[in-house]
PDB file of all heavy atoms in Angstrom:
ATOM      1  N   LYS A 320      80.123  71.483 101.954  1.00 95.00           N
ATOM      2  CA  LYS A 320      78.880  72.200 101.972  1.00 95.00           C
ATOM      3  C   LYS A 320      78.190  72.183 103.335  1.00 95.00           C
ATOM      4  O   LYS A 320      77.434  73.163 103.640  1.00 95.00           O
ATOM      5  CB  LYS A 320      77.962  71.726 100.863  1.00 95.00           C
ATOM      6  CG  LYS A 320      77.618  70.227 100.966  1.00 95.00           C
ATOM      7  CD  LYS A 320      76.784  69.778  99.767  1.00 95.00           C
ATOM      8  CE  LYS A 320      76.262  68.445  99.964  1.00 95.00           C
ATOM      9  NZ  LYS A 320      77.218  67.374 100.412  1.00 95.00           N
ATOM     10  N   ASP A 321      78.487  71.172 104.099  1.00 95.00           N
ATOM     11  CA  ASP A 321      77.815  71.080 105.445  1.00 95.00           C
ATOM     12  C   ASP A 321      78.739  71.551 106.547  1.00 95.00           C
ATOM     13  O   ASP A 321      78.360  71.373 107.746  1.00 95.00           O
ATOM     14  CB  ASP A 321      77.317  69.706 105.760  1.00 95.00           C
ATOM     15  CG  ASP A 321      76.402  69.227 104.685  1.00 95.00           C
ATOM     16  OD1 ASP A 321      75.557  70.023 104.234  1.00 95.00           O
ATOM     17  OD2 ASP A 321      76.456  68.064 104.259  1.00 95.00           O
ATOM     18  N   ALA A 322      79.894  72.027 106.185  1.00 97.00           N
ATOM     19  CA  ALA A 322      80.904  72.252 107.214  1.00 97.00           C
ATOM     20  C   ALA A 322      80.937  73.671 107.731  1.00 97.00           C
ATOM     21  O   ALA A 322      80.657  74.600 106.982  1.00 97.00           O
ATOM     22  CB  ALA A 322      82.244  71.909 106.679  1.00 97.00           C
ATOM     23  N   GLN A 323      81.378  73.873 108.968  1.00 98.00           N
ATOM     24  CA  GLN A 323      81.696  75.089 109.504  1.00 98.00           C
ATOM     25  C   GLN A 323      83.185  75.235 109.098  1.00 98.00           C
ATOM     26  O   GLN A 323      83.968  74.317 109.357  1.00 98.00           O
ATOM     27  CB  GLN A 323      81.584  75.150 110.957  1.00 98.00           C
ATOM     28  CG  GLN A 323      80.142  74.926 111.432  1.00 98.00           C
ATOM     29  CD  GLN A 323      79.722  76.058 112.445  1.00 98.00           C
ATOM     30  OE1 GLN A 323      79.815  77.233 112.061  1.00 98.00           O
ATOM     31  NE2 GLN A 323      79.352  75.650 113.563  1.00 98.00           N
ATOM     32  N   ILE A 324      83.583  76.399 108.625  1.00 98.00           N
ATOM     33  CA  ILE A 324      85.007  76.441 108.163  1.00 98.00           C
ATOM     34  C   ILE A 324      85.754  77.465 108.968  1.00 98.00           C
ATOM     35  O   ILE A 324      85.358  78.573 109.234  1.00 98.00           O
ATOM     36  CB  ILE A 324      85.038  76.864 106.600  1.00 98.00           C
ATOM     37  CG1 ILE A 324      84.219  75.824 105.836  1.00 98.00           C
ATOM     38  CG2 ILE A 324      86.488  76.863 106.152  1.00 98.00           C
ATOM     39  CD1 ILE A 324      84.190  76.035 104.331  1.00 98.00           C
ATOM     40  N   ILE A 325      86.917  76.982 109.448  1.00 98.00           N
ATOM     41  CA  ILE A 325      87.837  77.835 110.229  1.00 98.00           C
ATOM     42  C   ILE A 325      88.959  78.075 109.202  1.00 98.00           C
ATOM     43  O   ILE A 325      89.497  77.127 108.560  1.00 98.00           O
ATOM     44  CB  ILE A 325      88.320  77.132 111.429  1.00 98.00           C
ATOM     45  CG1 ILE A 325      87.248  76.642 112.330  1.00 98.00           C
ATOM     46  CG2 ILE A 325      89.384  78.027 112.193  1.00 98.00           C
ATOM     47  CD1 ILE A 325      87.698  75.512 113.300  1.00 98.00           C
ATOM     48  N   HIS A 326      89.403  79.340 109.119  1.00 98.00           N
ATOM     49  CA  HIS A 326      90.479  79.616 108.135  1.00 98.00           C
ATOM     50  C   HIS A 326      91.540  80.506 108.852  1.00 98.00           C
ATOM     51  O   HIS A 326      91.243  81.573 109.235  1.00 98.00           O
ATOM     52  CB  HIS A 326      89.923  80.288 106.914  1.00 98.00           C
ATOM     53  CG  HIS A 326      90.887  80.451 105.786  1.00 98.00           C
ATOM     54  ND1 HIS A 326      90.618  81.231 104.648  1.00 98.00           N
ATOM     55  CD2 HIS A 326      92.104  79.973 105.629  1.00 98.00           C
ATOM     56  CE1 HIS A 326      91.721  81.178 103.892  1.00 98.00           C
ATOM     57  NE2 HIS A 326      92.659  80.446 104.433  1.00 98.00           N
ATOM     58  N   VAL A 327      92.699  79.977 108.932  1.00 98.00           N
ATOM     59  CA  VAL A 327      93.880  80.742 109.407  1.00 98.00           C
ATOM     60  C   VAL A 327      94.750  81.209 108.141  1.00 98.00           C
ATOM     61  O   VAL A 327      95.086  80.306 107.407  1.00 98.00           O
ATOM     62  CB  VAL A 327      94.780  79.808 110.281  1.00 98.00           C
ATOM     63  CG1 VAL A 327      96.029  80.702 110.793  1.00 98.00           C
ATOM     64  CG2 VAL A 327      93.983  79.278 111.417  1.00 98.00           C
TER      65      VAL A 327
END
Side-chain angles (χ1 to χ4, degrees):
Chain A
K320 57 186 191 312
D321 302 322
Q323 298 232 57
I324 305 181
I325 305 162
H326 187 191
V327 179

